[in-house]
Amino acid sequence: MKDKKIAVVGIGATGSVLAAALLQKRPDTILVDPAPGMKNKLLENGLNITGEISYPSVPVTHFCSKISEMEEDAPDIVFIATKTFYLPSVLEDLKSIAKPGIKIISTHNGLGTEDMIAKTFGAGAAFRMSLNFGVALKKPGEVEAAFFNRPNHLGCLDKTNTEIGKRIAELLTRAGLDTELVDDIKLYVWKKMILKCTMASICAVTDKSIKDALASKPAREIAEVCFREALAVAKAQGYDLGEKYLTDAFAYLEKVGIHKDSMCGDLERNNPTEIDFLGGKVVKYARELGVSVPYYTVMTNLVKELDKAYSAK
C-alpha cells in the first residue's frame, strides 16, 4: 500500500476517525473538507479521538479545502465520509482528478451508495464499508467514540479488486481500526442499515434517543413493524436475514442506543437529512420490487415533512 496515495473526503465524526487511523500508518494521507477554518485548525491542532477508539493528538500535514486541489497529486484510494446527500457532487468533483484504476470507498450510512460510485466510475472503482462504531463530533478535529463492535466490514463490487481490498483492510486493522474484507458487502450493509433506516426516522419524529424510543410502547410497535417491512425488502433483493435478526437487532440497539440518531440533530439545526438514502431508499426498493411497506412510507414522509431543507426542494 506504500505506493498508493490515500485521501479522506469529509472530516466530520466518521471521517476524522478514518483519517486518524490512516495517519497512524500513512502520515501522507490527504484530508479534504470545505468547512471554513477547518484547514488551519487541523493543521495546527491535529485530530484527537477519544473513548472506545483512541487516537490522541494525531498530526495532520496534508489538507485540501477542495477536491480539485489534489489534481497534481491525485490519490489512488479515496474514502468518502461525507453526508450521503453530498455524494453526487463529490463524485462529480472526483471526475476531474480521477486517475485510471482509482478506488473509491463509500463509508456512508445509507443504502445504494456503492452503486452510485459504480454508475459514475464503473464497478471496478466501487468499494463499500459498513462501519460498526458510533462517534460524535465535539468540535472540528475532536471526536468521541461511544462504541466499536469490531470488526468493520469492507467489500468490492468487482471481485478482481479482492487483493487490493485485502490490503486496505489490513492497513486499517494494523492502524487499530479492525476491518474484515467480505465477499458480499451488500449483506452487511443490509444488516446494519435496517437498524439505521428504521430507528433514524423514529428518533427524528419522536425526538427521542434510540433507547427511549424502544422503551415507549407505541414507538416500539412502529419499530417492530418497520423492521419486518425492511426485512421483506431485503429478502426480495436476495438477502434473507431470518427471524433471529429481530431478536439480535433489539438486543444490540438496547445496548448502544443511549444517544439520539444524527437525524435529530440535522432537524434541530435545520440541516438537510439523509432520509432519501435511509427510509426513502427502502421505500424506493419496495416499490420497484412490489413489496408493501406502509409503515416505512409514513415514517419516511413524516421526516420529509419535518425536513425544511427537503421541503424547500
Side-chain angles (χ1 to χ4, degrees):
M1 291 293 293
K2 291 183 178 179
D3 59 327
K4 303 292 186 184
K5 294 184 176 68
I6 301 174
V8 179
V9 178
I11 312 301
T14 298
S16 293
V17 173
L18 285 166
L22 290 164
L23 286 166
Q24 303 299 301
K25 299 298 179 182
R26 292 294 305 271
D28 60 341
T29 297
I30 305 167
L31 279 57
V32 185
D33 197 294
M38 181 178 286
K39 179 176 183 177
N40 291 338
K41 289 178 182 177
L42 266 59
L43 291 176
E44 181 178 351
N45 302 318
L47 295 168
N48 190 39
I49 316 300
T50 58
E52 289 300 308
I53 303 171
S54 180
Y55 296 111
S57 303
V58 180
V60 174
T61 56
H62 296 74
F63 191 102
C64 295
S65 297
K66 297 179 181 178
I67 288 173
S68 60
E69 293 175 15
M70 296 190 289
E71 185 173 6
E72 294 183 2
D73 193 25
D76 302 281
I77 300 170
V78 179
F79 291 82
I80 305 180
T82 63
K83 290 282 193 176
T84 50
F85 47 77
Y86 288 126
L87 181 58
S89 62
V90 170
L91 294 177
E92 186 65 29
D93 289 344
L94 283 173
K95 286 181 182 179
S96 65
I97 68 153
K99 60 173 66 174
I102 189 172
K103 309 302 177 189
I104 303 173
I105 305 169
S106 164
T107 69
H108 301 87
N109 276 320
L111 292 163
T113 55
E114 68 279 4
D115 297 323
M116 292 181 64
I117 296 171
K119 184 177 180 180
T120 305
F121 290 93
F127 282 75
R128 178 70 190 268
M129 282 190 77
S130 178
L131 302 175
N132 293 318
F133 54 76
V135 292
L137 186 68
K138 297 162 69 176
K139 63 181 183 180
E142 292 193 15
V143 172
E144 184 170 3
F147 65 89
F148 184 9
N149 294 313
R150 301 170 188 271
N152 300 306
H153 296 103
L154 172 70
C156 50
L157 299 192
D158 185 335
K159 297 308 176 186
T160 62
N161 279 325
T162 297
E163 186 55 38
I164 191 168
K166 288 180 180 177
R167 292 167 65 192
I168 294 169
E170 289 168 359
L171 172 63
L172 290 167
T173 298
R174 285 190 287 108
L177 209 60
D178 302 37
T179 301
E180 177 184 345
L181 183 73
V182 296
D183 289 334
D184 190 349
I185 188 59
K186 289 180 181 290
L187 171 62
Y188 291 86
V189 170
W190 265 115
K191 284 181 177 179
K192 179 184 178 183
M193 284 302 115
I194 286 176
L195 303 181
K196 174 70 174 179
C197 292
T198 298
M199 296 312 301
S201 294
I202 293 172
C203 288
V205 171
T206 63
D207 195 29
K208 294 178 181 289
S209 69
I210 294 171
K211 183 177 181 179
D212 288 343
L214 292 177
S216 163
K217 184 178 178 180
R220 189 181 185 97
E221 287 181 355
I222 293 170
E224 288 175 352
V225 178
C226 283
F227 278 136
R228 292 189 181 279
E229 289 183 352
L231 284 168
V233 176
K235 186 175 182 179
Q237 279 206 340
Y239 297 101
D240 186 354
L241 303 184
E243 281 297 313
K244 190 174 181 294
Y245 178 88
L246 278 179
T247 302
D248 294 342
F250 280 115
Y252 173 82
L253 290 171
E254 285 163 359
K255 181 173 68 174
V256 305
I258 58 174
H259 63 285
K260 289 184 178 181
D261 188 88
S262 60
M263 195 177 284
C264 294
D266 291 335
L267 290 174
E268 184 179 342
R269 293 186 291 270
N270 290 328
N271 290 337
T273 70
E274 298 178 286
I275 190 62
D276 279 341
F277 290 86
L278 297 172
K281 191 69 74 168
V282 174
V283 173
K284 178 178 182 293
Y285 289 159
R287 287 172 177 164
E288 292 171 351
L289 296 163
V291 178
S292 177
V293 289
Y295 274 67
Y296 245 97
T297 302
V298 169
M299 295 306 298
T300 297
N301 284 336
L302 285 173
V303 173
K304 289 180 179 180
E305 186 64 26
L306 292 171
D307 186 344
K308 293 180 181 178
Y310 191 98
S311 60
K313 289 182 180 179

